[in-house]
């Protein structure tokens, strides 16, 4: 069971957060002999601009505002497919959006906490949740092939203690 925080501490250095994520991505791709092109890297950087999930068309809009040569939606989707295959981003189905993963080299099943107020999302891991799903599925004769758990509520910054 992982005990890392799903949401960054208030006042965290987000520039370091982004640069660490990009450095991790470059090292991960190099280790796996995967090609992190400049466009894929820029798309990953856009995803990491905040801790909020980002939709493909939002990425396209930001990318096209940055460059003279306009990208097509298919370019974004291909890059997102690559980033997901490499474990560098997660797709949040309920949001139809993408969130960066800060530990792509670790084999893990993630669960997502999504703030209904500010839109931030946090990734967490909890072996007991995975085990409960596995046992429940097994008891019902169901074979789990993929699981995605998204929980909506209030993040620490938006919660009742504030």
């Amino acid at each position: 069971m992982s005990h890392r925080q799903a949401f960054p501490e208030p006042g965290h250095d987000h520039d370091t957060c982004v640069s660490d994520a990009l450095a991790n991505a470059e090292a991960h791709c190099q280790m796996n002999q995967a090609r992190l092109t400049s466009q894929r890297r820029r798309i990953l950087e856009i995803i990491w601009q905040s801790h909020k999930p980002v939709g493909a068309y939002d990425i396209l809009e930001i990318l096209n505002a940055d460059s003279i040569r306009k990208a097509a939606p298919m370019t974004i989707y291909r890059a997102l497919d690559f980033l997901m295959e490499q474990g560098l981003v997660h797709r949040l189905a309920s949001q139809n959006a993408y969130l960066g993963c800060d530990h792509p080299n670790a084999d893990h099943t993630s669960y997502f906490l999504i703030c209904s107020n500010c839109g931030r999302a946090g990734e967490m891991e909890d072996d007991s949740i995975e085990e409960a799903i596995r046992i429940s599925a097994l008891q019902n004769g169901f074979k789990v092939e993929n699981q995605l758990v998204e929980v909506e509520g209030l993040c620490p910054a938006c919660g009742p203690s504030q």
Side-chain angles (χ1 to χ4, degrees), residues 53 84 89-99 108-114 121-124 129-130 133-134 142 144-152:
M84 284 190 301
V89 299
H90 297 286
R91 181 177 179 275
L92 301 183
S94 68
Q95 308 281 311
N96 194 22
Y98 301 85
L99 185 69
H108 64 285
T109 301
S110 298
Y111 307 95
F112 301 94
L113 305 176
I114 303 167
E123 177 181 358
M124 65 175 219
I129 294 171
E130 185 174 2
I133 292 171
R134 188 189 67 73
F142 186 82
V144 176
E145 293 178 349
N146 182 35
Q147 62 187 35
L148 177 63
V149 177
E150 299 178 25
V151 181
E152 191 172 306

Side-chain angles (χ1 to χ4, degrees), residues 35-76:
R35 195 161 167 251
L36 185 64
T37 63
S38 59
Q39 189 167 51
R40 290 171 176 167
R41 185 184 192 285
R42 178 63 184 128
I43 290 168
L44 184 60
E45 184 178 27
I46 291 167
I47 292 169
W48 273 96
Q49 282 181 350
S50 75
H51 291 282
K52 295 179 183 178
V54 184
Y57 280 90
D58 295 325
I59 294 168
L60 179 65
E61 187 177 316
I62 293 166
L63 189 65
N64 283 341
D66 287 355
S67 62
I68 296 167
R69 190 168 161 242
K70 301 299 180 203
M74 188 50 82
T75 303
I76 303 303

